[in-house]
Amino acid sequence: MASVSLAAAGPVIPDYSAQSSSCVVHNHLFCTDWISHNFSPILWPALRQHILLALAAVAIGFAISMALALAAHRYRRLERPTILVTTFLYTIPSLALFELLVAPVGPNVFSAEIALVSYTLLILFRNILTGLRAVPAEVLDAAEGMGMSRRQALWRVELPLALPAIVAGLRIAVVTIIALATIVYTIYDAGLGVPIHTALGEGPFKTELIAAGGLAILLALLSDALLVGVQRLLTPWARTRAS
Amino acid sequence: MKTEDTAHNEGPSAFAQAAELELRGVSKLYPGQREPAIKELSLTVPAGEVCVLVGPSGSGKTTAMRLINRLIPISGGDILLGGESVLEREPKALRREIGYVIQQIGLFPHQTVGENIATVPRLLGWEEKRIGERVDELLALIDLDPAEMRTRYPSQLSGGQRQRVGVARALAADPPLMLMDEPFGAIDPINRARLQDEFLRLQAQVKKTVVFVTHDIDEAIKMGDRIAILREGGVLAQYDTPQEILTRPADSFVAQFVGADRGLKRLALTTLAELKLIEPNGLRPDESADGARRVPRETSVRDALSTLLSAGGQPLTVIDGEGRVEGLVTLTLVEQLLSEEAANANANGNGNGNGNGNAADGG
Ligand SMILES: Nc1ncnc2c1ncn2[C@@H]1O[C@H](COP(=O)(O)OP(=O)(O)O)[C@@H](O)[C@H]1O
Ligand SMILES: [Mg+2]
């Protein structure tokens, strides 16, 4: 009884004033009408921010990792120090890293991105380098023996052959970053973490929590499926094994 | 009539001139090694001939190949292709002019057969239309159906098909020189013999200068117009025609390398077609042609001898492609051939340079 009146009092759930349905008022587990009323003002902006946060982090992380992996592919001795540094970054607890960055950078999108990017490096660097190294020696010998330059061999042979390993790394990175981006709210007011955090303060009202959390999961699954599809399109040769 | 004629005539004429290859005192010392892998190697491969480099493992065969297309730097001496030093050429441009086939083939797994074959033409910037035509021409040349095979990936081919595509890829830009490093080494014996025969047929059409590496002396005898036998340390032990090497090995190393059965191997160099066969009615009284086994005229004398022995010495009937009887071959005839050869050898006679006639059991 008390909880009903508390919910109806209205300070915790934003913007449901006169339209509040009995579902919302009675704290049913999942209220579709709450979703339809709050999708455009709350969920959609959060989802869009979340996508942008993750996309930027993976794109920047990919560019850095690719450069590092190409360098380590050519100069073997760069591998160990790179692994060391990226592993260190990967092991810092995420909440701590976010807080650590606020002091020098400020509670803004830059802190958020630096933290997210740093978590992609180890995964992407390792996968790209593994992919490049797995190119068979005789294939490279043939490429060189037929008169390809280093650059031509890289673009025409090594990178295409490393693609499955690279996409495998991207899939892990994307799913990881989409999950991690839900705690960006602790330093910067963006992403699905915002409605999730709000919902956690909404007591028995679970719709917002389920909706925002569900969106994060759905986003991760869809992104993963998208990458699988892209890989299938780009590597038709990998599907024809042992026919 | 036009279609057949052009298709047939275009073959040889569409290929560029083969070039003579000359190695002049070539040496190679790998960094950190005390002994050179190749020492003062000199030999000339006439344009359009197959030179087989043969020798035990570690004798520097692969090293010699990779010096020619400058995949590794030379330590001393010079290499001339068509009279020009390869050392003055830009390495990448040079390699695009030299066909390169390796044992592991090294097809690009992510590219179709067509794309693989198109590699060098693409690097040379040919027009797409010309590349497409060339790919189809080469696939036909190696007996693969262009329509079916062009779009396959290497993983969808058999080992033999892959190796043939590797050869086609090396031939794509019509190089004056082909380097083949144990190209059939990883193929099972039956398919290897087929690939060898096929390559000889192909070579008769394209007439490239070919350096062919193998560690198998039988393959060397079969494939080579000339054979260069290397010993450890990259020293040339003998460079001669198969016939000469089998008849007159230069030293005990060569004699041992070609094997105690070199007399038999020599018989493999001659086909029944090259013998003066006995007329069917010219038999001695103790020999009879009744129920004789039939062998095609392309059979090597070695294989015919083997058949003769298993037939208990009874004569064999030699037939041509249409099954017509050409004559008979008997143990006596083989004996005659051997004594003639021995006489020739002693009289310093010149061996038959063409060691390529032996498609045994062709029927
Ligand atoms: N990259 C290399 N560095 C040092 N030594 C090498 C290298 N490649 C080959 N060798 C040595 O050179 C010799 C000849 O090798 P190789 O040309 O591969 O012989 P083959 O092809 O006849 O088996 C061997 O003793 C081998 O150990
Ligand atoms: Mg070798």
Side-chain angles (χ1 to χ4, degrees), chain B residues 56-133:
Chain B
S57 172
S59 55
K61 306 179 296 291
T62 298
T63 301
M65 289 281 206
R66 296 169 70 87
L67 287 173
I68 295 169
N69 66 2
R70 297 192 59 191
L71 282 171
I72 52 174
I74 198 167
S75 307
D78 200 357
I79 297 171
L80 302 157
L81 180 58
E84 260 185 86
S85 171
V86 299
L87 302 179
E88 275 148 34
R89 302 287 312 277
E90 201 276 315
K92 288 188 285 292
L94 175 75
R95 289 179 205 138
R96 291 171 194 176
E97 271 177 31
I98 299 178
Y100 185 52
V101 185
I102 51 178
Q103 179 177 338
Q104 310 86 339
I105 318 173
L107 290 183
F108 302 139
H110 62 297
Q111 295 186 347
T112 61
V113 166
E115 290 166 336
N116 265 285
I117 295 176
T119 303
V120 179
R122 288 238 158 85
L123 288 170
L124 293 172
W126 289 16
E127 280 173 29
E128 278 307 309
K129 183 169 173 291
R130 183 173 167 212
I131 293 176
E133 287 166 3

Side-chain angles (χ1 to χ4, degrees), chain B residues 34-67:
Chain B
R34 287 177 56 217
E35 294 297 318
I38 300 270
K39 206 154 149 188
E40 296 283 327
L41 180 61
S42 294
L43 56 85
T44 302
V45 187
E49 286 203 0
V50 179
C51 165
V52 177
L53 281 183
V54 65
S57 172
S59 55
K61 306 179 296 291
T62 298
T63 301
M65 289 281 206
R66 296 169 70 87
L67 287 173

Side-chain angles (χ1 to χ4, degrees), chain B residues 300-324:
Chain B
S300 73
V301 177
R302 179 186 181 163
D303 290 331
L305 176 62
S306 167
T307 312
L308 272 168
L309 292 176
S310 62
Q314 287 301 305
L316 308 177
T317 306
V318 181
I319 54 169
D320 67 8
E322 270 97 56
R324 282 190 299 264

Side-chain angles (χ1 to χ4, degrees), chain A residues 39-116:
Chain A
F39 189 76
S40 19
I42 296 174
L43 291 176
W44 170 240
L47 177 63
R48 216 187 53 204
Q49 289 159 356
H50 205 89
I51 293 173
L52 290 176
L53 279 172
L55 205 64
V58 173
I60 296 167
F62 182 73
I64 296 172
S65 305
M66 180 59 84
L68 289 171
L70 289 177
H73 182 47
R74 181 131 179 202
Y75 307 102
R76 252 200 130 82
R77 65 201 147 79
L78 293 181
E79 183 186 357
R80 276 174 150 268
T82 312
I83 289 279
L84 215 70
V85 172
T86 51
T87 306
F88 172 72
L89 288 174
Y90 195 73
T91 52
I92 303 175
S94 41
L95 279 172
L97 183 58
F98 280 116
E99 288 307 326
L100 276 173
L101 282 164
V102 170
V105 184
N108 51 32
V109 67
F110 299 108
S111 292
E113 283 299 332
I114 292 171
L116 292 180

